[in-house]
Amino acid sequence: MENIDWNNLSFGYIKTDYNIRCYYKNGLWGDLEVSDSEYFNMHIAATAIHYGQESFEGLKAFRGKDGKIRIFRMDENAQRMQDSAEGTLMVQFPKEKFMEAVVKVIKLNEKFVPPYESKASLYIRPVLFGSGAEVGVKPAKEYMFILFVTPVGPYFKGGFQTTPFLIMREFDRSAPLGMGKYKVGGNYAASLIAGKKAHDMGYSNIFYLDAKEKKYIDECGAANFFGIKNNTYITPKSASILPSITNKSLMVLAKEMGMKVEQRLVPVEELETFEEAGACGTAAVISPIQRIDDYDEKKSYVFSKDGKPGPISKKLYDKLCGIQYGDEPDNHGWVTVI
Ligand SMILES: *Cc1c(COP(=O)(O)O)cnc(C)c1O
């Protein structure tokens, strides 16, 4: 712990002191249990490992200038985990208990919350999964909720930067009536090949089009997409997109800045007309897009000629980060101070 170099953290796993577990057995959730072990025992026939009955969440806690720790919109993550549970026939983890667990795990690992100056944060990873034994394809009768934290560096090592993205029609992320709207492990196993291919070709990530018609923008990697034009924030509406809490927050902030907000189908060709474009999610808040290359159509949509992020992306990014670190007022009750 004494050896953590706060200014050079990556987005990787670092051991902290404690994690939390909670077990659902005989129709009841037990008490939150604190552990200092990084391991747990699991039944060899648990539904999570052979049928992927699992969901996860990702949120962050930030240390402000005032030394206080702020958690961003954890009620939204608690709700989304309930939605994912519904989508995979898991028993829901109570929202109050989820939030209690998040506060508890942060307090237990307080010394791992990076200092304000480092621009790093504490990443919080809740996981819910079927731990009960089944052999046929059916939901487990027992569940486990686990929660660990790990300090992570700022997404942009050299400051807020643009990167190139790639459209490839060879891969779908999720089917129109499938599981894309849930944060479930299987979606991410399914995205590894496409992500690797894009990375190997020098792109920061892959862009998915809607699986049915391949006409509309869906998501980019594990992030939502937005484009900016004519003082309007435009983000795709689709049943196969994971509803990003960052995107939801940016839509509110864009409105407050006097912009119009549209959530609708976004045809690929419309990329031509955007003045700025970005990917958004907890990890980076906003990852501004330098250009999107359409591999199949041999086309390139450029949003930043000099590689710098656009002014509106920058403004939205600064505003949201400001709220998270406590530099800007929290007018929406998004932040829990501990
Ligand atoms: C987690 C995730 C996002 C981002 O959601 P946030 O709540 O903003 O972190 C976007 N797309 C996918 C596929 C995700 O898994």
Side-chain angles (χ1 to χ4, degrees):
M1 153 72 210
E2 287 71 23
N3 301 322
I4 294 181
D5 179 0
W6 298 116
N7 294 311
N8 290 295
L9 288 169
S10 63
F11 193 80
Y13 178 81
I14 291 174
K15 186 182 187 302
T16 56
D17 286 346
Y18 301 103
N19 55 74
I20 286 179
R21 299 106 193 271
C22 190
Y23 302 89
Y24 180 88
K25 279 183 186 145
N26 305 317
L28 283 174
W29 280 106
D31 293 330
L32 300 177
E33 295 177 17
V34 176
S35 171
D36 61 3
S37 166
E38 293 168 281
Y39 298 89
F40 58 81
N41 278 318
M42 184 152 73
H43 197 286
I44 54 170
T47 59
I49 47 172
H50 47 130
Y51 299 129
Q53 202 190 15
E54 182 268 2
S55 85
F56 69 98
E57 275 301 327
L59 63 158
K60 282 178 173 175
F62 307 85
R63 195 182 292 278
K65 247 183 224 152
D66 55 7
K68 287 185 183 144
I69 299 167
R70 290 170 174 79
I71 318 166
F72 188 68
R73 305 197 78 172
M74 65 169 162
D75 55 324
E76 291 282 341
N77 295 92
Q79 179 59 52
R80 194 167 64 188
M81 181 165 259
Q82 294 213 323
D83 298 342
S84 297
E86 213 168 79
T88 47
L89 280 190
M90 291 194 284
V91 167
Q92 290 178 323
F93 191 63
K95 275 171 79 172
E96 287 307 319
K97 217 169 179 117
F98 180 105
M99 294 191 276
E100 184 192 332
V102 169
V103 171
K104 191 175 180 120
V105 81
I106 294 170
K107 282 186 176 160
L108 287 164
N109 294 290
E110 200 186 325
K111 64 183 191 212
F112 293 96
V113 184
Y116 172 79
E117 294 71 24
S118 67
K119 290 282 162 214
S121 57
L122 188 73
Y123 186 73
I124 303 155
R125 169 54 58 86
V127 189
L128 172 69
F129 59 89
S131 54
E134 296 293 342
V135 176
V137 179
K138 58 181 139 191
K141 290 182 194 72
E142 294 181 358
Y143 291 85
M144 193 170 170
F145 171 85
I146 56 171
L147 179 52
F148 70 82
V149 295
T150 194
V152 294
Y155 191 83
F156 300 100
K157 286 274 171 285
F160 196 48
Q161 275 164 12
T162 64
T163 55
F165 284 69
L166 177 69
I167 293 174
M168 250 188 172
R169 286 165 187 73
E170 187 183 339
F171 303 101
D172 290 325
R173 193 185 85 88
S174 67
L177 303 176
M179 300 298 283
K181 59 181 178 290
Y182 304 121
K183 215 167 173 80
V184 296
N187 290 345
Y188 304 84
S191 74
L192 293 175
I193 287 190
K196 179 176 185 322
K197 202 150 179 174
H199 290 145
D200 287 351
M201 290 169 71
Y203 295 92
S204 75
N205 223 323
I206 197 145
F207 245 83
Y208 297 101
L209 303 184
D210 76 287
K212 193 174 177 186
E213 297 187 85
K214 298 279 190 183
K215 271 168 74 173
Y216 305 101
I217 306 283
D218 234 42
E219 280 201 87
C220 29
N224 279 186
F225 171 80
F226 69 86
I228 307 272
K229 67 173 176 190
N230 309 327
N231 199 36
T232 309
Y233 179 102
I234 300 157
T235 191
K237 190 182 176 79
S238 154
S240 52
I241 286 180
L242 193 283
S244 156
I245 297 161
T246 311
N247 196 7
K248 191 172 171 177
S249 310
L250 290 172
M251 285 190 259
V252 172
L253 297 178
K255 257 188 208 141
E256 282 179 358
M257 288 175 185
M259 298 176 71
K260 271 190 290 190
V261 172
E262 292 175 7
Q263 198 168 14
R264 58 163 168 83
L265 291 176
V266 180
V268 192
E269 314 80 64
E270 194 179 352
L271 289 175
E272 199 99 62
T273 66
F274 289 134
E275 297 149 17
E276 298 180 30
C280 60
T282 294
V285 177
I286 290 175
S287 179
I289 300 174
Q290 194 265 321
R291 65 172 204 279
I292 301 171
D293 290 346
D294 188 327
Y295 181 81
D296 312 284
E297 301 285 326
K298 309 274 173 262
K299 265 174 99 170
S300 193
Y301 303 95
V302 180
F303 306 104
S304 169
K305 290 205 176 65
D306 59 4
K308 292 205 183 81
I312 295 173
S313 302
K314 175 87 173 84
K315 204 170 151 189
L316 285 166
Y317 176 80
D318 287 343
K319 184 80 184 174
L320 188 52
C321 292
I323 295 170
Q324 291 176 330
Y325 281 94
D327 297 330
E328 294 267 353
D330 169 29
N331 298 327
H332 305 280
W334 286 346
V335 167
T336 306
V337 183
I338 48 174

